[in-house]
Amino acid sequence: MRIKKWLLLSAACLAFSATPTVAEETREFSVSTVLSEAFPWGQAAAKWAELVEERSEGRITLKVYPNAQLVSGDQTREFSAMRSGLIDMAVGSTINWSTQVPEVNLFSLPFLMPDNAAVDAITQGEAGEMVFNAIDKRGVVPLAWGENGFREISNSRGVLSEPADLKGLKVRVVGSPLFLDTFNALGANPTQMSWTDALPALTTGAVDGQENPLAVFDVARADRADQKYLTLWHYMNDPLIFGVSKRVWSTLSKDDQSLLKQAAIDAGQWEIKKSRAELEDTLQAIRERGVEVTELTPEQHQAFVDATQKVYEKWTPRIGKKLVDTAQEAIKNR
C-alpha cells in the first residue's frame, strides 16, 4: 500500500512539474502625437516605443498614432481623450493641453524664456514639478519632458524687427486664447486655423504669416508658401510632455510603471539633445532656400517684451501667481 501511495505521489509531482509556466501577458497601448517621425516630436514618441519594447523584451508595445488621428485631427481634444481612457498615452504639447490644464499656459507667456537654459531651469526645477502636479490632478500621469522648441515668426510682407512691423499683419496661430491676446497686443491680426488649412492660406495670401518651431518651418517647406522673411524672436517655447492616462497607469505593475517612466525620461533627453543639435543645420538649410533670416538685437527683443506686458497682467492669475513667480525666479537664477 505504501509503495502504491508513493508511486501515485511521484506521478502527481511529475505531472505538476511538467505543466508549462503561463507566459507573462503582452500588452499594446496607443500613443498619440500631433506630428510624424519627420519631425522631432514624432521621433520622441518613436524612441519611447523603441525603448519600451526593448526593455520589456517585447512584452509591452507602444503603437504611435501621428497627426492627431485618434482625435480626428483635433489636437486640442487629446488631453481629454487620454483622461477619459480613449487614448492610452501621448507625447503632447503644452499648447494643446492648455485648455484643460491652465497651468501649462506658463510656457506660452510671451518672451518668458529667452534661451534653452531658461527652459531647462523651469522644466527641471520646482516650477516643472508644479506643472506636473497640475497635470496629475486632472487625470493624466506626466512622466517626462521633451521639446518642440522655440516658436519663431515668418511672413510674406517684409522684415519684422519691431512691434510696429506686426501692425495689421494676418498671422495664423494655434487655437489658444493666450496666443490671440499676445498678437493682439502687438497690433497683429491673429487668425486661428489648423496647420493643414494654414499652408494653402499662406500660399494664396489669405494669411500673411505664421509662427512655428524651425523644424516645422523646414520640414513643411513654409518657404514654398511665400514665407520669405523669418525672425528669430524666441517669443515662446513649447515643451513636450510624455503622459499616460491614469486609467491605464492604475492597471500597470510598479515595475512596468518604472519601466515606462524611465524609458520616457531617456527618450525625452535623447530628443531634446538631438533637436537642439540640429538647429544650426536646419537654419542654414532655410537660409539656402532664399529665406531672409533676422536675429533681434537685445534692444529690439526688449521692445517686444515691453509691448506684451499687459498679457502677463491678464494671464498670471489664471496660470497661478505662485507658479509664474517660481518660474521667473528660476530663470533669473539659471
Side-chain angles (χ1 to χ4, degrees), residues 3-58:
I3 294 174
K4 185 176 181 181
K5 285 184 177 179
W6 183 84
L7 289 171
L8 289 172
L9 181 60
S10 298
C13 289
L14 287 170
F16 180 80
S17 64
T19 302
T21 302
V22 177
E24 290 187 85
E25 180 186 10
T26 59
R27 301 185 67 179
E28 179 177 291
F29 299 101
S30 61
V31 180
S32 175
T33 66
V34 170
L35 296 178
S36 69
E37 284 190 62
F39 304 86
W41 190 339
Q43 292 163 14
K47 188 67 174 179
W48 188 22
E50 175 192 320
L51 293 176
V52 168
E53 183 170 12
E54 175 186 303
R55 294 174 184 180
S56 70
E57 297 181 340

Side-chain angles (χ1 to χ4, degrees), residues 3 68 74 80 114 133-134 173 176 223 237 241 270 283 331:
I3 294 174
D74 185 357
S80 57
N133 287 336
V173 297
S176 164
D223 51 290
N237 190 291
I241 298 173
W270 172 86
L283 190 57
I331 292 171

Side-chain angles (χ1 to χ4, degrees), residues 76-97:
T76 61
R77 289 173 46 214
E78 182 180 73
F79 188 88
S80 57
M82 184 164 43
R83 181 172 54 193
S84 66
L86 295 176
I87 294 174
D88 298 327
M89 307 178 187
V91 179
S93 156
T94 57
I95 298 170
N96 294 333
W97 292 7

Side-chain angles (χ1 to χ4, degrees), residues 1 20 36 47 53 59 108 110 124 131 145 152 160 175 187 200-201 240 247 252 258 264 268 276 282 290 295 322:
M1 180 64 73
S36 69
K47 188 67 174 179
E53 183 170 12
R59 187 170 49 80
S108 296
Q124 304 307 310
V131 171
W145 296 97
E152 316 294 7
L160 305 179
L240 301 176
R247 298 190 180 198
L252 298 170
S258 295
R276 291 179 182 179
T282 298
E295 298 189 50
K322 183 178 179 181

Side-chain angles (χ1 to χ4, degrees), residues 90-109:
V91 179
S93 156
T94 57
I95 298 170
N96 294 333
W97 292 7
S98 63
T99 52
Q100 287 85 32
V101 188
E103 289 84 352
V104 300
N105 279 297
L106 172 73
F107 298 99
S108 296
L109 284 172

Side-chain angles (χ1 to χ4, degrees), residues 169-187:
L169 192 76
K170 291 178 288 185
V171 183
R172 176 267 175 183
V173 297
V174 297
S176 164
L178 202 163
F179 278 61
L180 294 177
D181 288 345
T182 296
F183 280 89
N184 281 326
L186 292 169

Side-chain angles (χ1 to χ4, degrees), residues 95-152:
I95 298 170
N96 294 333
W97 292 7
S98 63
T99 52
Q100 287 85 32
V101 188
E103 289 84 352
V104 300
N105 279 297
L106 172 73
F107 298 99
S108 296
L109 284 172
F111 306 101
L112 172 66
M113 300 162 284
D115 50 35
N116 286 327
V119 178
D120 295 342
I122 293 176
T123 59
Q124 304 307 310
E126 184 182 353
E129 292 177 5
M130 293 169 71
V131 171
F132 268 22
N133 287 336
I135 293 170
D136 186 80
K137 288 177 181 177
R138 290 172 175 84
V140 170
V141 180
L143 303 181
W145 296 97
E147 183 160 279
N148 196 25
F150 281 100
R151 299 178 76 91
E152 316 294 7

